[in-house]
């Protein structure tokens, strides 16, 4: 009988952990089959490394600190401009608050508009589908 022990399949169960892809669209949590596994699936691993690369290509690495600051600013704008079930804010105001929309690392497709929502922690932004001078802010 021939045995292949090069890649023995582990039957160990590891505790559920968060998927490191911030824009994980599979629930954000998974049960790893290997203790080194950082993402719930191959797609999340690819997306996360693409996001990291595009952030690096912009010449600036997005720090957690910056994301938290942007989240705070977006929270403030969200409260101020939320009206009739939507929060549309003039692009000028976003720029005035010094939010650099090119920098944000994680995003997810909005199936309703077929555009990307760029997420910080609790808040995300999307270009207005009908008026490019507006940005829509979403809250998770
Ligand atoms: Zn994931």
């Amino acid at each position: 009988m021939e045995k292949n022990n090069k890649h023995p399949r582990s039957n160990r169960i590891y505790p559920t952990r968060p998927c490191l892809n911030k824009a994980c669209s599979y629930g954000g949590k998974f049960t790893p089959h290997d203790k080194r596994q950082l993402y719930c699936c191959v797609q999340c691993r690819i997306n996360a490394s693409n996001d990291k690369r595009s952030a690096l290509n912009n010449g600036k690495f997005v720090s957690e600190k910056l994301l938290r600051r942007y989240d705070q600013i977006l929270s403030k704008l969200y409260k101020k401009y939320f009206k009739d079930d939507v929060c549309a804010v003039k692009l000028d105001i976003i720029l005035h608050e010094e939010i650099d929309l090119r920098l944000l690392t994680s995003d997810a497709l909005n199936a309703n508009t077929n555009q990307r929502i760029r997420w910080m922690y609790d808040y995300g932004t999307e270009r207005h589908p009908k008026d490019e001078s507006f940005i829509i802010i979403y809250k998770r």
Side-chain angles (χ1 to χ4, degrees), residues 19 21 24 26 40 44:
C19 174
N21 177 15
C24 176
Y26 304 98
C40 72
C44 273

PDB file of all heavy atoms in Angstrom, residues 19 21 24 26 40 44, ligand 1:
ATOM      1  N   CYS A  19     -11.780  36.811   8.913  1.00  0.00           N
ATOM      2  CA  CYS A  19     -11.062  36.827   7.638  1.00  0.00           C
ATOM      3  C   CYS A  19     -10.338  38.171   7.541  1.00  0.00           C
ATOM      4  O   CYS A  19     -10.931  39.217   7.805  1.00  0.00           O
ATOM      5  CB  CYS A  19     -12.068  36.677   6.499  1.00  0.00           C
ATOM      6  SG  CYS A  19     -11.349  36.859   4.865  1.00  0.00           S
ATOM      7  N   ASN A  21      -9.398  39.808   5.047  1.00  0.00           N
ATOM      8  CA  ASN A  21      -9.866  40.684   3.973  1.00  0.00           C
ATOM      9  C   ASN A  21     -10.960  41.577   4.548  1.00  0.00           C
ATOM     10  O   ASN A  21     -12.040  41.104   4.878  1.00  0.00           O
ATOM     11  CB  ASN A  21     -10.409  39.838   2.819  1.00  0.00           C
ATOM     12  CG  ASN A  21     -10.972  40.694   1.709  1.00  0.00           C
ATOM     13  OD1 ASN A  21     -10.727  41.899   1.635  1.00  0.00           O
ATOM     14  ND2 ASN A  21     -11.740  40.066   0.841  1.00  0.00           N
ATOM     15  N   CYS A  24     -14.347  41.316   3.114  1.00  0.00           N
ATOM     16  CA  CYS A  24     -14.823  39.934   2.959  1.00  0.00           C
ATOM     17  C   CYS A  24     -16.332  39.920   2.758  1.00  0.00           C
ATOM     18  O   CYS A  24     -17.066  40.533   3.512  1.00  0.00           O
ATOM     19  CB  CYS A  24     -14.470  39.126   4.207  1.00  0.00           C
ATOM     20  SG  CYS A  24     -15.107  37.441   4.145  1.00  0.00           S
ATOM     21  N   TYR A  26     -18.037  37.096   2.627  1.00  0.00           N
ATOM     22  CA  TYR A  26     -18.514  35.761   3.011  1.00  0.00           C
ATOM     23  C   TYR A  26     -18.783  35.696   4.505  1.00  0.00           C
ATOM     24  O   TYR A  26     -18.589  34.650   5.133  1.00  0.00           O
ATOM     25  CB  TYR A  26     -17.495  34.703   2.598  1.00  0.00           C
ATOM     26  CG  TYR A  26     -17.173  34.748   1.134  1.00  0.00           C
ATOM     27  CD1 TYR A  26     -16.042  35.404   0.679  1.00  0.00           C
ATOM     28  CD2 TYR A  26     -18.031  34.177   0.205  1.00  0.00           C
ATOM     29  CE1 TYR A  26     -15.760  35.484  -0.672  1.00  0.00           C
ATOM     30  CE2 TYR A  26     -17.763  34.253  -1.148  1.00  0.00           C
ATOM     31  CZ  TYR A  26     -16.618  34.903  -1.580  1.00  0.00           C
ATOM     32  OH  TYR A  26     -16.342  34.984  -2.912  1.00  0.00           O
ATOM     33  N   CYS A  40     -10.562  33.555   4.511  1.00  0.00           N
ATOM     34  CA  CYS A  40     -11.548  32.478   4.475  1.00  0.00           C
ATOM     35  C   CYS A  40     -11.483  31.683   3.175  1.00  0.00           C
ATOM     36  O   CYS A  40     -11.867  30.529   3.132  1.00  0.00           O
ATOM     37  CB  CYS A  40     -12.951  33.027   4.711  1.00  0.00           C
ATOM     38  SG  CYS A  40     -13.623  33.979   3.341  1.00  0.00           S
ATOM     39  N   CYS A  44     -10.617  35.893  -1.251  1.00  0.00           N
ATOM     40  CA  CYS A  44     -10.332  36.936  -0.256  1.00  0.00           C
ATOM     41  C   CYS A  44      -8.835  37.218  -0.176  1.00  0.00           C
ATOM     42  O   CYS A  44      -8.427  38.370  -0.021  1.00  0.00           O
ATOM     43  CB  CYS A  44     -10.858  36.533   1.121  1.00  0.00           C
ATOM     44  SG  CYS A  44     -12.577  37.007   1.350  1.00  0.00           S
TER      45      CYS A  44
HETATM   46 ZN1  LIG B   1     -13.148  36.306   3.498  1.00  0.00          ZN
END
